[in-house]
Amino acid sequence: MTFTSPGDVRERLASVGYLPDDAIATTVYLAAALGKPLLVEGPAGVGKTELAKAVAEITQAALVRLQCYEGLDEPRALYEWNYKKQLLRIQAAGDQDWSATHDDIFTEEFLLERPLLTAIRRADPTVLLIDETDKADVEVEGLLLEVLSDFQVTIPELGTITAVRRPFVVLTSNATRELSEALKRRCLYLHLDYPSPERERDIVKARVPGIEDALAGRLAQVVATLRALELKKAPSIAETIDWARTLLALGLDHLDADAINATLGVVLKHNSDQERARKELDGSSR
């Protein structure tokens, strides 16, 4: 997976509707050039996951995703054995010597690949997305350190499996907890925040064909105002895009108080947030 320059990254990402700034384009270029994992940190909804998807799209690579959550363990992240199938094989073996049966059941036929092993074993271009890394337990970080250090995995029954072709790795974090320094040292770091109204207007125009410049600009300004409030959940970029599509679907070409009241549920999913937003926006959208 190669790019000729940060400018090449910027142009190719823009071609699929992801509009990067200089920091994003440069960091993605360096991650590819140096073969380093990329840790992307920032609040929810700023485009961290979409960046990995866009890189996969522009490089025609397969996207392999490990969604992290509390309680995620090694078998769900790396590999496990198909115990039901193994049991059936043992039962079918009857009086066969155990050593022979053991060799039969611990083979590729009974191996269930999970995202990390899948990404390591692929010979074709691959983007490995380790999403919301901060939600996983510390033990999973230890597993990631092992995998991302040498891009190899040891399966006791099969031996060591080394990556034929290293995947482009993107780890995302919402910064709900601090990741270990050891993990961070192995990665290039990129912090994403919500875009400026001007950049978000351009994102909306790129992702919602047919929207008028004035409506896209007004929408971006209103969303910026909402994010400045103390909300339970600030609108994501994806929700801004959904809002734009909603307005077009309703045939609305301007965002006034009536339009906001009718469609606010597209971007704010808590009643208290909607009430606060209506008080703030009352009169400003007229």
PDB file of all heavy atoms in Angstrom, residues 106-145:
ATOM      1  N   PHE A 106      -6.830 -30.558  15.577  1.00  0.00           N
ATOM      2  CA  PHE A 106      -6.152 -29.269  15.665  1.00  0.00           C
ATOM      3  C   PHE A 106      -5.460 -28.969  14.339  1.00  0.00           C
ATOM      4  O   PHE A 106      -4.237 -28.949  14.223  1.00  0.00           O
ATOM      5  CB  PHE A 106      -5.165 -29.254  16.835  1.00  0.00           C
ATOM      6  CG  PHE A 106      -5.845 -29.215  18.178  1.00  0.00           C
ATOM      7  CD1 PHE A 106      -5.924 -30.349  18.960  1.00  0.00           C
ATOM      8  CD2 PHE A 106      -6.442 -28.049  18.630  1.00  0.00           C
ATOM      9  CE1 PHE A 106      -6.574 -30.314  20.192  1.00  0.00           C
ATOM     10  CE2 PHE A 106      -7.096 -27.996  19.858  1.00  0.00           C
ATOM     11  CZ  PHE A 106      -7.165 -29.141  20.637  1.00  0.00           C
ATOM     12  N   THR A 107      -6.304 -28.762  13.331  1.00  0.00           N
ATOM     13  CA  THR A 107      -5.836 -28.447  11.985  1.00  0.00           C
ATOM     14  C   THR A 107      -6.617 -27.247  11.460  1.00  0.00           C
ATOM     15  O   THR A 107      -7.540 -26.749  12.104  1.00  0.00           O
ATOM     16  CB  THR A 107      -6.055 -29.644  11.042  1.00  0.00           C
ATOM     17  OG1 THR A 107      -7.458 -29.946  11.002  1.00  0.00           O
ATOM     18  CG2 THR A 107      -5.281 -30.871  11.533  1.00  0.00           C
ATOM     19  N   GLU A 108      -6.234 -26.808  10.294  1.00  0.00           N
ATOM     20  CA  GLU A 108      -6.889 -25.649   9.677  1.00  0.00           C
ATOM     21  C   GLU A 108      -8.406 -25.834   9.560  1.00  0.00           C
ATOM     22  O   GLU A 108      -9.170 -24.876   9.669  1.00  0.00           O
ATOM     23  CB  GLU A 108      -6.312 -25.403   8.284  1.00  0.00           C
ATOM     24  CG  GLU A 108      -4.893 -24.883   8.269  1.00  0.00           C
ATOM     25  CD  GLU A 108      -4.829 -23.395   8.539  1.00  0.00           C
ATOM     26  OE1 GLU A 108      -5.899 -22.739   8.573  1.00  0.00           O
ATOM     27  OE2 GLU A 108      -3.723 -22.877   8.712  1.00  0.00           O
ATOM     28  N   GLU A 109      -8.820 -27.076   9.355  1.00  0.00           N
ATOM     29  CA  GLU A 109     -10.241 -27.351   9.170  1.00  0.00           C
ATOM     30  C   GLU A 109     -11.077 -26.907  10.369  1.00  0.00           C
ATOM     31  O   GLU A 109     -12.243 -26.526  10.224  1.00  0.00           O
ATOM     32  CB  GLU A 109     -10.445 -28.846   8.928  1.00  0.00           C
ATOM     33  CG  GLU A 109     -11.896 -29.251   8.725  1.00  0.00           C
ATOM     34  CD  GLU A 109     -12.064 -30.745   8.559  1.00  0.00           C
ATOM     35  OE1 GLU A 109     -11.029 -31.458   8.477  1.00  0.00           O
ATOM     36  OE2 GLU A 109     -13.225 -31.206   8.525  1.00  0.00           O
ATOM     37  N   PHE A 110     -10.473 -26.917  11.550  1.00  0.00           N
ATOM     38  CA  PHE A 110     -11.220 -26.623  12.772  1.00  0.00           C
ATOM     39  C   PHE A 110     -10.885 -25.253  13.354  1.00  0.00           C
ATOM     40  O   PHE A 110     -11.373 -24.901  14.417  1.00  0.00           O
ATOM     41  CB  PHE A 110     -10.931 -27.701  13.823  1.00  0.00           C
ATOM     42  CG  PHE A 110     -11.319 -29.083  13.388  1.00  0.00           C
ATOM     43  CD1 PHE A 110     -10.416 -29.913  12.735  1.00  0.00           C
ATOM     44  CD2 PHE A 110     -12.600 -29.554  13.608  1.00  0.00           C
ATOM     45  CE1 PHE A 110     -10.777 -31.186  12.323  1.00  0.00           C
ATOM     46  CE2 PHE A 110     -12.981 -30.823  13.201  1.00  0.00           C
ATOM     47  CZ  PHE A 110     -12.065 -31.639  12.549  1.00  0.00           C
ATOM     48  N   LEU A 111     -10.065 -24.487  12.659  1.00  0.00           N
ATOM     49  CA  LEU A 111      -9.627 -23.173  13.146  1.00  0.00           C
ATOM     50  C   LEU A 111     -10.626 -22.099  12.724  1.00  0.00           C
ATOM     51  O   LEU A 111     -10.992 -21.998  11.550  1.00  0.00           O
ATOM     52  CB  LEU A 111      -8.246 -22.839  12.592  1.00  0.00           C
ATOM     53  CG  LEU A 111      -7.614 -21.536  13.081  1.00  0.00           C
ATOM     54  CD1 LEU A 111      -7.277 -21.615  14.566  1.00  0.00           C
ATOM     55  CD2 LEU A 111      -6.352 -21.221  12.263  1.00  0.00           C
ATOM     56  N   LEU A 112     -11.060 -21.279  13.682  1.00  0.00           N
ATOM     57  CA  LEU A 112     -11.942 -20.155  13.402  1.00  0.00           C
ATOM     58  C   LEU A 112     -11.140 -18.870  13.508  1.00  0.00           C
ATOM     59  O   LEU A 112     -10.727 -18.470  14.603  1.00  0.00           O
ATOM     60  CB  LEU A 112     -13.120 -20.126  14.393  1.00  0.00           C
ATOM     61  CG  LEU A 112     -14.058 -21.335  14.374  1.00  0.00           C
ATOM     62  CD1 LEU A 112     -15.104 -21.204  15.479  1.00  0.00           C
ATOM     63  CD2 LEU A 112     -14.735 -21.472  13.015  1.00  0.00           C
ATOM     64  N   GLU A 113     -10.890 -18.240  12.383  1.00  0.00           N
ATOM     65  CA  GLU A 113     -10.126 -16.994  12.385  1.00  0.00           C
ATOM     66  C   GLU A 113     -10.982 -15.846  12.883  1.00  0.00           C
ATOM     67  O   GLU A 113     -12.137 -15.705  12.489  1.00  0.00           O
ATOM     68  CB  GLU A 113      -9.630 -16.664  10.981  1.00  0.00           C
ATOM     69  CG  GLU A 113      -8.614 -17.628  10.428  1.00  0.00           C
ATOM     70  CD  GLU A 113      -8.134 -17.196   9.047  1.00  0.00           C
ATOM     71  OE1 GLU A 113      -8.729 -16.253   8.475  1.00  0.00           O
ATOM     72  OE2 GLU A 113      -7.166 -17.796   8.536  1.00  0.00           O
ATOM     73  N   ARG A 114     -10.406 -15.029  13.738  1.00  0.00           N
ATOM     74  CA  ARG A 114     -11.026 -13.785  14.163  1.00  0.00           C
ATOM     75  C   ARG A 114     -10.255 -12.631  13.520  1.00  0.00           C
ATOM     76  O   ARG A 114      -9.258 -12.845  12.836  1.00  0.00           O
ATOM     77  CB  ARG A 114     -11.056 -13.700  15.689  1.00  0.00           C
ATOM     78  CG  ARG A 114     -11.862 -14.820  16.366  1.00  0.00           C
ATOM     79  CD  ARG A 114     -13.237 -14.989  15.764  1.00  0.00           C
ATOM     80  NE  ARG A 114     -14.045 -16.004  16.455  1.00  0.00           N
ATOM     81  CZ  ARG A 114     -15.046 -16.653  15.919  1.00  0.00           C
ATOM     82  NH1 ARG A 114     -15.392 -16.395  14.661  1.00  0.00           N
ATOM     83  NH2 ARG A 114     -15.729 -17.552  16.592  1.00  0.00           N
ATOM     84  N   PRO A 115     -10.700 -11.384  13.684  1.00  0.00           N
ATOM     85  CA  PRO A 115     -10.146 -10.291  12.880  1.00  0.00           C
ATOM     86  C   PRO A 115      -8.622 -10.166  12.861  1.00  0.00           C
ATOM     87  O   PRO A 115      -8.038  -9.964  11.790  1.00  0.00           O
ATOM     88  CB  PRO A 115     -10.799  -9.052  13.499  1.00  0.00           C
ATOM     89  CG  PRO A 115     -12.121  -9.545  13.993  1.00  0.00           C
ATOM     90  CD  PRO A 115     -11.847 -10.930  14.504  1.00  0.00           C
ATOM     91  N   LEU A 116      -7.954 -10.280  14.004  1.00  0.00           N
ATOM     92  CA  LEU A 116      -6.499 -10.086  14.010  1.00  0.00           C
ATOM     93  C   LEU A 116      -5.790 -11.150  13.179  1.00  0.00           C
ATOM     94  O   LEU A 116      -4.903 -10.838  12.376  1.00  0.00           O
ATOM     95  CB  LEU A 116      -5.970 -10.093  15.445  1.00  0.00           C
ATOM     96  CG  LEU A 116      -6.400  -8.922  16.333  1.00  0.00           C
ATOM     97  CD1 LEU A 116      -5.782  -9.058  17.719  1.00  0.00           C
ATOM     98  CD2 LEU A 116      -6.021  -7.579  15.714  1.00  0.00           C
ATOM     99  N   LEU A 117      -6.166 -12.395  13.358  1.00  0.00           N
ATOM    100  CA  LEU A 117      -5.527 -13.464  12.584  1.00  0.00           C
ATOM    101  C   LEU A 117      -5.901 -13.358  11.111  1.00  0.00           C
ATOM    102  O   LEU A 117      -5.056 -13.578  10.225  1.00  0.00           O
ATOM    103  CB  LEU A 117      -5.932 -14.830  13.135  1.00  0.00           C
ATOM    104  CG  LEU A 117      -5.290 -16.047  12.449  1.00  0.00           C
ATOM    105  CD1 LEU A 117      -3.772 -15.968  12.518  1.00  0.00           C
ATOM    106  CD2 LEU A 117      -5.798 -17.348  13.072  1.00  0.00           C
ATOM    107  N   THR A 118      -7.141 -13.012  10.827  1.00  0.00           N
ATOM    108  CA  THR A 118      -7.569 -12.845   9.436  1.00  0.00           C
ATOM    109  C   THR A 118      -6.706 -11.816   8.720  1.00  0.00           C
ATOM    110  O   THR A 118      -6.234 -12.038   7.590  1.00  0.00           O
ATOM    111  CB  THR A 118      -9.046 -12.418   9.375  1.00  0.00           C
ATOM    112  OG1 THR A 118      -9.860 -13.447   9.935  1.00  0.00           O
ATOM    113  CG2 THR A 118      -9.480 -12.162   7.941  1.00  0.00           C
ATOM    114  N   ALA A 119      -6.492 -10.671   9.374  1.00  0.00           N
ATOM    115  CA  ALA A 119      -5.711  -9.594   8.754  1.00  0.00           C
ATOM    116  C   ALA A 119      -4.258 -10.011   8.541  1.00  0.00           C
ATOM    117  O   ALA A 119      -3.649  -9.676   7.518  1.00  0.00           O
ATOM    118  CB  ALA A 119      -5.778  -8.345   9.622  1.00  0.00           C
ATOM    119  N   ILE A 120      -3.695 -10.743   9.487  1.00  0.00           N
ATOM    120  CA  ILE A 120      -2.303 -11.160   9.381  1.00  0.00           C
ATOM    121  C   ILE A 120      -2.106 -12.162   8.243  1.00  0.00           C
ATOM    122  O   ILE A 120      -1.096 -12.138   7.541  1.00  0.00           O
ATOM    123  CB  ILE A 120      -1.826 -11.757  10.719  1.00  0.00           C
ATOM    124  CG1 ILE A 120      -1.627 -10.639  11.741  1.00  0.00           C
ATOM    125  CG2 ILE A 120      -0.543 -12.565  10.558  1.00  0.00           C
ATOM    126  CD1 ILE A 120      -1.234 -11.130  13.111  1.00  0.00           C
ATOM    127  N   ARG A 121      -3.075 -13.021   8.040  1.00  0.00           N
ATOM    128  CA  ARG A 121      -2.907 -14.102   7.070  1.00  0.00           C
ATOM    129  C   ARG A 121      -3.237 -13.691   5.637  1.00  0.00           C
ATOM    130  O   ARG A 121      -2.918 -14.424   4.697  1.00  0.00           O
ATOM    131  CB  ARG A 121      -3.785 -15.291   7.462  1.00  0.00           C
ATOM    132  CG  ARG A 121      -3.460 -15.864   8.824  1.00  0.00           C
ATOM    133  CD  ARG A 121      -4.258 -17.113   9.118  1.00  0.00           C
ATOM    134  NE  ARG A 121      -3.654 -18.283   8.512  1.00  0.00           N
ATOM    135  CZ  ARG A 121      -4.159 -19.510   8.595  1.00  0.00           C
ATOM    136  NH1 ARG A 121      -5.299 -19.701   9.233  1.00  0.00           N
ATOM    137  NH2 ARG A 121      -3.559 -20.526   8.040  1.00  0.00           N
ATOM    138  N   ARG A 122      -3.858 -12.542   5.457  1.00  0.00           N
ATOM    139  CA  ARG A 122      -4.248 -12.148   4.113  1.00  0.00           C
ATOM    140  C   ARG A 122      -3.029 -11.754   3.287  1.00  0.00           C
ATOM    141  O   ARG A 122      -2.160 -11.007   3.749  1.00  0.00           O
ATOM    142  CB  ARG A 122      -5.235 -10.983   4.151  1.00  0.00           C
ATOM    143  CG  ARG A 122      -6.655 -11.397   4.492  1.00  0.00           C
ATOM    144  CD  ARG A 122      -7.603 -10.210   4.412  1.00  0.00           C
ATOM    145  NE  ARG A 122      -7.500  -9.511   3.139  1.00  0.00           N
ATOM    146  CZ  ARG A 122      -8.117  -9.875   2.020  1.00  0.00           C
ATOM    147  NH1 ARG A 122      -8.916 -10.911   2.019  1.00  0.00           N
ATOM    148  NH2 ARG A 122      -7.967  -9.190   0.902  1.00  0.00           N
ATOM    149  N   ALA A 123      -2.976 -12.254   2.056  1.00  0.00           N
ATOM    150  CA  ALA A 123      -1.885 -11.905   1.148  1.00  0.00           C
ATOM    151  C   ALA A 123      -2.220 -10.678   0.309  1.00  0.00           C
ATOM    152  O   ALA A 123      -1.327 -10.051  -0.262  1.00  0.00           O
ATOM    153  CB  ALA A 123      -1.562 -13.094   0.240  1.00  0.00           C
ATOM    154  N   ASP A 124      -3.503 -10.334   0.231  1.00  0.00           N
ATOM    155  CA  ASP A 124      -3.934  -9.173  -0.542  1.00  0.00           C
ATOM    156  C   ASP A 124      -3.931  -7.925   0.332  1.00  0.00           C
ATOM    157  O   ASP A 124      -3.897  -8.011   1.563  1.00  0.00           O
ATOM    158  CB  ASP A 124      -5.339  -9.416  -1.093  1.00  0.00           C
ATOM    159  CG  ASP A 124      -5.383 -10.577  -2.070  1.00  0.00           C
ATOM    160  OD1 ASP A 124      -4.394 -10.759  -2.806  1.00  0.00           O
ATOM    161  OD2 ASP A 124      -6.390 -11.312  -2.085  1.00  0.00           O
ATOM    162  N   PRO A 125      -3.965  -6.728  -0.280  1.00  0.00           N
ATOM    163  CA  PRO A 125      -3.981  -5.489   0.511  1.00  0.00           C
ATOM    164  C   PRO A 125      -5.116  -5.482   1.520  1.00  0.00           C
ATOM    165  O   PRO A 125      -6.258  -5.819   1.197  1.00  0.00           O
ATOM    166  CB  PRO A 125      -4.173  -4.402  -0.562  1.00  0.00           C
ATOM    167  CG  PRO A 125      -3.617  -5.004  -1.811  1.00  0.00           C
ATOM    168  CD  PRO A 125      -3.938  -6.467  -1.730  1.00  0.00           C
ATOM    169  N   THR A 126      -4.787  -5.096   2.748  1.00  0.00           N
ATOM    170  CA  THR A 126      -5.752  -5.154   3.839  1.00  0.00           C
ATOM    171  C   THR A 126      -5.609  -3.937   4.738  1.00  0.00           C
ATOM    172  O   THR A 126      -4.489  -3.507   5.044  1.00  0.00           O
ATOM    173  CB  THR A 126      -5.533  -6.427   4.689  1.00  0.00           C
ATOM    174  OG1 THR A 126      -5.582  -7.572   3.849  1.00  0.00           O
ATOM    175  CG2 THR A 126      -6.576  -6.538   5.788  1.00  0.00           C
ATOM    176  N   VAL A 127      -6.730  -3.385   5.143  1.00  0.00           N
ATOM    177  CA  VAL A 127      -6.759  -2.368   6.195  1.00  0.00           C
ATOM    178  C   VAL A 127      -7.366  -3.018   7.426  1.00  0.00           C
ATOM    179  O   VAL A 127      -8.499  -3.504   7.381  1.00  0.00           O
ATOM    180  CB  VAL A 127      -7.582  -1.130   5.784  1.00  0.00           C
ATOM    181  CG1 VAL A 127      -7.753  -0.180   6.972  1.00  0.00           C
ATOM    182  CG2 VAL A 127      -6.902  -0.408   4.629  1.00  0.00           C
ATOM    183  N   LEU A 128      -6.595  -3.071   8.506  1.00  0.00           N
ATOM    184  CA  LEU A 128      -7.075  -3.624   9.775  1.00  0.00           C
ATOM    185  C   LEU A 128      -7.525  -2.461  10.653  1.00  0.00           C
ATOM    186  O   LEU A 128      -6.715  -1.624  11.061  1.00  0.00           O
ATOM    187  CB  LEU A 128      -5.972  -4.412  10.473  1.00  0.00           C
ATOM    188  CG  LEU A 128      -6.264  -4.866  11.915  1.00  0.00           C
ATOM    189  CD1 LEU A 128      -7.504  -5.749  11.963  1.00  0.00           C
ATOM    190  CD2 LEU A 128      -5.054  -5.572  12.514  1.00  0.00           C
ATOM    191  N   LEU A 129      -8.817  -2.403  10.926  1.00  0.00           N
ATOM    192  CA  LEU A 129      -9.389  -1.363  11.775  1.00  0.00           C
ATOM    193  C   LEU A 129      -9.658  -1.942  13.159  1.00  0.00           C
ATOM    194  O   LEU A 129     -10.482  -2.850  13.309  1.00  0.00           O
ATOM    195  CB  LEU A 129     -10.691  -0.836  11.159  1.00  0.00           C
ATOM    196  CG  LEU A 129     -11.569   0.064  12.043  1.00  0.00           C
ATOM    197  CD1 LEU A 129     -10.814   1.322  12.453  1.00  0.00           C
ATOM    198  CD2 LEU A 129     -12.867   0.410  11.331  1.00  0.00           C
ATOM    199  N   ILE A 130      -8.953  -1.427  14.155  1.00  0.00           N
ATOM    200  CA  ILE A 130      -9.182  -1.813  15.551  1.00  0.00           C
ATOM    201  C   ILE A 130      -9.946  -0.657  16.171  1.00  0.00           C
ATOM    202  O   ILE A 130      -9.373   0.357  16.551  1.00  0.00           O
ATOM    203  CB  ILE A 130      -7.855  -2.093  16.273  1.00  0.00           C
ATOM    204  CG1 ILE A 130      -7.056  -3.161  15.513  1.00  0.00           C
ATOM    205  CG2 ILE A 130      -8.110  -2.534  17.715  1.00  0.00           C
ATOM    206  CD1 ILE A 130      -5.664  -3.400  16.050  1.00  0.00           C
ATOM    207  N   ASP A 131     -11.262  -0.796  16.217  1.00  0.00           N
ATOM    208  CA  ASP A 131     -12.155   0.324  16.495  1.00  0.00           C
ATOM    209  C   ASP A 131     -12.457   0.443  17.985  1.00  0.00           C
ATOM    210  O   ASP A 131     -12.754  -0.555  18.654  1.00  0.00           O
ATOM    211  CB  ASP A 131     -13.459   0.140  15.709  1.00  0.00           C
ATOM    212  CG  ASP A 131     -14.048   1.467  15.241  1.00  0.00           C
ATOM    213  OD1 ASP A 131     -13.399   2.503  15.425  1.00  0.00           O
ATOM    214  OD2 ASP A 131     -15.153   1.449  14.679  1.00  0.00           O
ATOM    215  N   GLU A 132     -12.393   1.693  18.489  1.00  0.00           N
ATOM    216  CA  GLU A 132     -12.688   2.006  19.883  1.00  0.00           C
ATOM    217  C   GLU A 132     -11.814   1.176  20.826  1.00  0.00           C
ATOM    218  O   GLU A 132     -12.281   0.504  21.736  1.00  0.00           O
ATOM    219  CB  GLU A 132     -14.179   1.804  20.177  1.00  0.00           C
ATOM    220  CG  GLU A 132     -15.064   2.729  19.351  1.00  0.00           C
ATOM    221  CD  GLU A 132     -16.535   2.646  19.718  1.00  0.00           C
ATOM    222  OE1 GLU A 132     -17.102   1.538  19.655  1.00  0.00           O
ATOM    223  OE2 GLU A 132     -17.099   3.694  20.075  1.00  0.00           O
ATOM    224  N   THR A 133     -10.508   1.270  20.591  1.00  0.00           N
ATOM    225  CA  THR A 133      -9.533   0.510  21.374  1.00  0.00           C
ATOM    226  C   THR A 133      -9.646   0.805  22.857  1.00  0.00           C
ATOM    227  O   THR A 133      -9.397  -0.069  23.693  1.00  0.00           O
ATOM    228  CB  THR A 133      -8.109   0.842  20.884  1.00  0.00           C
ATOM    229  OG1 THR A 133      -8.047   0.709  19.458  1.00  0.00           O
ATOM    230  CG2 THR A 133      -7.082  -0.086  21.497  1.00  0.00           C
ATOM    231  N   ASP A 134     -10.025   2.024  23.205  1.00  0.00           N
ATOM    232  CA  ASP A 134     -10.109   2.409  24.618  1.00  0.00           C
ATOM    233  C   ASP A 134     -11.207   1.680  25.373  1.00  0.00           C
ATOM    234  O   ASP A 134     -11.234   1.691  26.608  1.00  0.00           O
ATOM    235  CB  ASP A 134     -10.302   3.923  24.752  1.00  0.00           C
ATOM    236  CG  ASP A 134     -11.471   4.448  23.925  1.00  0.00           C
ATOM    237  OD1 ASP A 134     -11.672   3.952  22.795  1.00  0.00           O
ATOM    238  OD2 ASP A 134     -12.174   5.347  24.393  1.00  0.00           O
ATOM    239  N   LYS A 135     -12.123   1.023  24.665  1.00  0.00           N
ATOM    240  CA  LYS A 135     -13.193   0.277  25.335  1.00  0.00           C
ATOM    241  C   LYS A 135     -12.753  -1.126  25.750  1.00  0.00           C
ATOM    242  O   LYS A 135     -13.429  -1.782  26.543  1.00  0.00           O
ATOM    243  CB  LYS A 135     -14.425   0.180  24.438  1.00  0.00           C
ATOM    244  CG  LYS A 135     -15.169   1.504  24.263  1.00  0.00           C
ATOM    245  CD  LYS A 135     -16.459   1.306  23.501  1.00  0.00           C
ATOM    246  CE  LYS A 135     -17.247   2.609  23.400  1.00  0.00           C
ATOM    247  NZ  LYS A 135     -18.517   2.438  22.644  1.00  0.00           N
ATOM    248  N   ALA A 136     -11.644  -1.586  25.191  1.00  0.00           N
ATOM    249  CA  ALA A 136     -11.167  -2.930  25.509  1.00  0.00           C
ATOM    250  C   ALA A 136     -10.409  -2.921  26.833  1.00  0.00           C
ATOM    251  O   ALA A 136      -9.948  -1.886  27.309  1.00  0.00           O
ATOM    252  CB  ALA A 136     -10.262  -3.440  24.389  1.00  0.00           C
ATOM    253  N   ASP A 137     -10.281  -4.101  27.429  1.00  0.00           N
ATOM    254  CA  ASP A 137      -9.553  -4.229  28.676  1.00  0.00           C
ATOM    255  C   ASP A 137      -8.053  -4.127  28.428  1.00  0.00           C
ATOM    256  O   ASP A 137      -7.569  -4.308  27.304  1.00  0.00           O
ATOM    257  CB  ASP A 137      -9.874  -5.570  29.343  1.00  0.00           C
ATOM    258  CG  ASP A 137     -11.358  -5.703  29.682  1.00  0.00           C
ATOM    259  OD1 ASP A 137     -11.970  -4.661  29.990  1.00  0.00           O
ATOM    260  OD2 ASP A 137     -11.887  -6.825  29.619  1.00  0.00           O
ATOM    261  N   VAL A 138      -7.312  -3.884  29.512  1.00  0.00           N
ATOM    262  CA  VAL A 138      -5.865  -3.722  29.410  1.00  0.00           C
ATOM    263  C   VAL A 138      -5.219  -4.985  28.837  1.00  0.00           C
ATOM    264  O   VAL A 138      -4.221  -4.913  28.111  1.00  0.00           O
ATOM    265  CB  VAL A 138      -5.268  -3.376  30.789  1.00  0.00           C
ATOM    266  CG1 VAL A 138      -3.750  -3.326  30.726  1.00  0.00           C
ATOM    267  CG2 VAL A 138      -5.824  -2.054  31.296  1.00  0.00           C
ATOM    268  N   GLU A 139      -5.783  -6.156  29.152  1.00  0.00           N
ATOM    269  CA  GLU A 139      -5.212  -7.410  28.653  1.00  0.00           C
ATOM    270  C   GLU A 139      -5.223  -7.453  27.126  1.00  0.00           C
ATOM    271  O   GLU A 139      -4.307  -8.020  26.509  1.00  0.00           O
ATOM    272  CB  GLU A 139      -5.995  -8.604  29.215  1.00  0.00           C
ATOM    273  CG  GLU A 139      -5.827  -8.841  30.696  1.00  0.00           C
ATOM    274  CD  GLU A 139      -6.620  -7.873  31.560  1.00  0.00           C
ATOM    275  OE1 GLU A 139      -7.488  -7.153  30.998  1.00  0.00           O
ATOM    276  OE2 GLU A 139      -6.378  -7.826  32.780  1.00  0.00           O
ATOM    277  N   VAL A 140      -6.237  -6.868  26.518  1.00  0.00           N
ATOM    278  CA  VAL A 140      -6.299  -6.844  25.057  1.00  0.00           C
ATOM    279  C   VAL A 140      -5.190  -5.953  24.497  1.00  0.00           C
ATOM    280  O   VAL A 140      -4.628  -6.234  23.437  1.00  0.00           O
ATOM    281  CB  VAL A 140      -7.685  -6.373  24.581  1.00  0.00           C
ATOM    282  CG1 VAL A 140      -7.717  -6.188  23.067  1.00  0.00           C
ATOM    283  CG2 VAL A 140      -8.757  -7.368  25.000  1.00  0.00           C
ATOM    284  N   GLU A 141      -4.865  -4.877  25.209  1.00  0.00           N
ATOM    285  CA  GLU A 141      -3.735  -4.043  24.779  1.00  0.00           C
ATOM    286  C   GLU A 141      -2.456  -4.860  24.717  1.00  0.00           C
ATOM    287  O   GLU A 141      -1.640  -4.693  23.813  1.00  0.00           O
ATOM    288  CB  GLU A 141      -3.556  -2.860  25.729  1.00  0.00           C
ATOM    289  CG  GLU A 141      -4.493  -1.700  25.475  1.00  0.00           C
ATOM    290  CD  GLU A 141      -4.037  -0.432  26.172  1.00  0.00           C
ATOM    291  OE1 GLU A 141      -2.845  -0.082  26.045  1.00  0.00           O
ATOM    292  OE2 GLU A 141      -4.868   0.195  26.838  1.00  0.00           O
ATOM    293  N   GLY A 142      -2.271  -5.761  25.703  1.00  0.00           N
ATOM    294  CA  GLY A 142      -1.091  -6.620  25.684  1.00  0.00           C
ATOM    295  C   GLY A 142      -1.060  -7.504  24.447  1.00  0.00           C
ATOM    296  O   GLY A 142      -0.010  -7.701  23.839  1.00  0.00           O
ATOM    297  N   LEU A 143      -2.221  -8.019  24.061  1.00  0.00           N
ATOM    298  CA  LEU A 143      -2.313  -8.825  22.844  1.00  0.00           C
ATOM    299  C   LEU A 143      -1.988  -7.985  21.616  1.00  0.00           C
ATOM    300  O   LEU A 143      -1.253  -8.425  20.721  1.00  0.00           O
ATOM    301  CB  LEU A 143      -3.717  -9.418  22.726  1.00  0.00           C
ATOM    302  CG  LEU A 143      -4.053 -10.153  21.426  1.00  0.00           C
ATOM    303  CD1 LEU A 143      -3.165 -11.372  21.252  1.00  0.00           C
ATOM    304  CD2 LEU A 143      -5.528 -10.556  21.407  1.00  0.00           C
ATOM    305  N   LEU A 144      -2.512  -6.771  21.569  1.00  0.00           N
ATOM    306  CA  LEU A 144      -2.240  -5.896  20.432  1.00  0.00           C
ATOM    307  C   LEU A 144      -0.756  -5.561  20.333  1.00  0.00           C
ATOM    308  O   LEU A 144      -0.194  -5.493  19.232  1.00  0.00           O
ATOM    309  CB  LEU A 144      -3.061  -4.602  20.557  1.00  0.00           C
ATOM    310  CG  LEU A 144      -4.578  -4.752  20.441  1.00  0.00           C
ATOM    311  CD1 LEU A 144      -5.259  -3.406  20.637  1.00  0.00           C
ATOM    312  CD2 LEU A 144      -4.963  -5.347  19.093  1.00  0.00           C
ATOM    313  N   LEU A 145      -0.109  -5.349  21.488  1.00  0.00           N
ATOM    314  CA  LEU A 145       1.329  -5.079  21.485  1.00  0.00           C
ATOM    315  C   LEU A 145       2.090  -6.221  20.829  1.00  0.00           C
ATOM    316  O   LEU A 145       2.989  -6.002  20.018  1.00  0.00           O
ATOM    317  CB  LEU A 145       1.830  -4.868  22.918  1.00  0.00           C
ATOM    318  CG  LEU A 145       1.496  -3.535  23.572  1.00  0.00           C
ATOM    319  CD1 LEU A 145       1.897  -3.560  25.045  1.00  0.00           C
ATOM    320  CD2 LEU A 145       2.202  -2.395  22.869  1.00  0.00           C
TER     321      LEU A 145
END
